[in-house]
Amino acid sequence: MVLTLSLGAASMAGCTAGPLYGGVAPDGRSAETLRDLRGRIAISEANTRTDQIVRNPLLLRLNAGAPVSDPAYEVRLTANGAERGISIESTGVPVSAIYVLTVNYQLVRLSDNQVVDSGMRQVPVPFDRTAQLFQSQRALLNAREQAGKEAAAQLELAIATALQRAG
């Protein structure tokens, strides 16, 4: 019994998992967290509708609806989306497709203009097409919106992790 407990404690000593919204940096210092930075993370202005589809949910996730004032960090992002047909009927009409959203981002600390983190996230969302034009257009719009929300969730995790690493 004692041996089992000591082995369990020893195996947990190497665990690096921690809470998303709070914690300690790897070097033991108190890390800046998303909770501490609510309303202080700006996101670059959207230049396209696809950028806007990612920007809106990301603003909500990072700042919890708080208006951005005196930003400490800025997320600079560009988003591109494309539809890819994957299944074609014998008539040559696509019946299912995938909308793929690709987001490139940089997390910049504004005090010294240092890039804290950068990367790319790609989100595929499948959807169906029919002979009805309105339904097919609506399915594509829904796939774009869903991809934007999923990309924002992935970016939130990446940014929270980068902030904890940066301390």
Side-chain angles (χ1 to χ4, degrees):
M1 177 74 168
V2 173
L3 180 61
T4 305
L5 289 175
S6 63
L7 286 175
S11 67
M12 292 299 287
C15 181
T16 60
L20 177 62
Y21 290 100
V24 177
D27 62 0
R29 294 180 295 143
S30 177
E32 282 190 296
T33 64
L34 287 180
R35 188 178 307 130
D36 298 337
L37 293 169
R38 294 273 190 236
R40 303 218 40 224
I41 301 175
I43 299 176
S44 62
E45 291 298 319
N47 295 321
T48 65
R49 175 68 182 141
T50 307
D51 289 347
Q52 192 71 38
I53 287 171
V54 177
R55 185 180 188 273
N56 287 348
L58 186 58
L59 268 172
L60 184 62
R61 285 179 164 277
L62 294 178
N63 295 308
V68 177
S69 61
D70 190 31
Y73 293 91
E74 180 181 36
V75 178
R76 297 174 183 163
L77 60 86
T78 56
N80 296 304
E83 174 188 353
R84 298 186 181 136
I86 59 167
S87 177
I88 298 178
E89 284 184 352
S90 60
T91 60
V93 178
V95 292
S96 58
I98 294 179
Y99 180 78
V100 179
L101 178 65
T102 304
V103 180
N104 294 296
Y105 75 95
Q106 286 185 327
L107 176 63
V108 179
R109 185 175 38 239
L110 296 176
S111 62
D112 57 359
N113 217 21
Q114 178 71 31
V115 175
V116 176
D117 190 33
S118 64
M120 186 264 301
R121 298 292 183 270
Q122 197 168 49
V123 178
V125 177
F127 66 99
D128 292 328
R129 291 206 163 269
T130 68
Q132 297 177 359
L133 181 60
F134 178 78
Q135 185 279 334
S136 292
Q137 290 174 341
R138 188 72 241 177
L140 175 60
L141 290 175
N142 290 345
R144 287 179 70 191
E145 292 292 327
Q146 181 182 349
K149 290 176 184 175
E150 289 179 23
Q154 289 182 14
L155 290 174
E156 177 190 26
L157 292 174
I159 290 166
T161 303
L163 289 172
Q164 286 188 347
R165 267 196 323 259

